[in-house]
Structures are given as C-alpha cells and as structure tokens.
Amino acid sequence: MTMVVGDMLRTYPADLGGVNREAMERCIAECFACAQACTACADACLSEEMVAELRKCIRTNLDCADICEATGRMLSRHTGYDANITRAQLQACAQVCKSCAEECERHADMHEHCRVCAEACRRCEQACNELLATLG
C-alpha cells in the first residue's frame, strides 16, 4: 500500500507546495490500514459470544473506519487543496482513532482482534498528528 501511495504522490503532475511528502504518504497508508483493521474488528466483535457487551466497540470501530477511509481519500486529492478542510479532517481522524484505540484496549486482553485494531488506531492517530504538525 505504501509503495502505491508514494508512487502516486511522486507522479502527481502539479506542485504539491510545501507538503511533507513522507508524512502525507505515511498518513494516507495508515488511514487505509486503520479503516481495514476497524472494519475487520467490528466484524470479529459480531462473531464473539459476548456481542452485546461489544456494542460500543463495534460502533466506534465502524465510525473510525468511515472517518479513516474518508481521510485517506481526501488526502489523496491535491487539486483545489484547502488547508483548513484538511486540518479539520485530520483532527477528526486523530480524535476518532484515539477514541477507538481506547475502546479496543478495554477488550484487548480478551480479544486479540481488539489489540490489533487498537495498535492500528494508535499508528493512524500518530500519523495524522504528525501530518498536522507539518501543515502551517
């Protein structure tokens, strides 16, 4: 995934301005990876015997997956760039990843898929915050 993201950033025909390409590449890749992990975690939670106790985890997983997917898509578009919209989306993505990681960590000792998901959320949260720090 990261290789394709990097290739697409390198082959973009217009100037990307002062964007930190490495931070952008990592953030896009982490957003899509997190969306996949959260979708899979929600599905795994639905297969657990104690599914009723995992309702909040499932909901948070699905919200996080949607926001990460949208963020990855938005970051992949560069034409007509608006830093204020990008900043707001990255802040939302970092927040939902933080919340999802915290929720999954509550179940990580009982469900390995929640541990894996929490780690993906933490990586995405960090990548969003790192990209945010590079935006003026």
Side-chain angles (χ1 to χ4, degrees), residues 48-108:
E48 294 289 351
E49 291 294 321
M50 57 186 287
V51 70
E53 286 116 34
L54 295 168
R55 281 188 186 122
K56 184 175 181 190
C57 191
I58 294 164
R59 169 60 192 263
T60 306
N61 283 158
L62 295 175
D63 288 347
C64 191
D66 288 346
I67 292 172
C68 287
E69 179 90 17
T71 304
R73 287 193 321 265
M74 287 178 67
L75 293 175
S76 296
R77 297 190 291 261
H78 308 290
T79 304
Y81 172 77
D82 184 325
N84 292 321
I85 293 171
T86 299
R87 201 174 292 110
Q89 186 67 29
L90 285 168
Q91 289 167 341
C93 192
Q95 180 58 58
V96 76
C97 286
K98 181 179 189 301
S99 296
C100 192
E102 289 170 356
E103 181 60 29
C104 279
E105 286 164 354
R106 292 182 53 230
H107 310 287

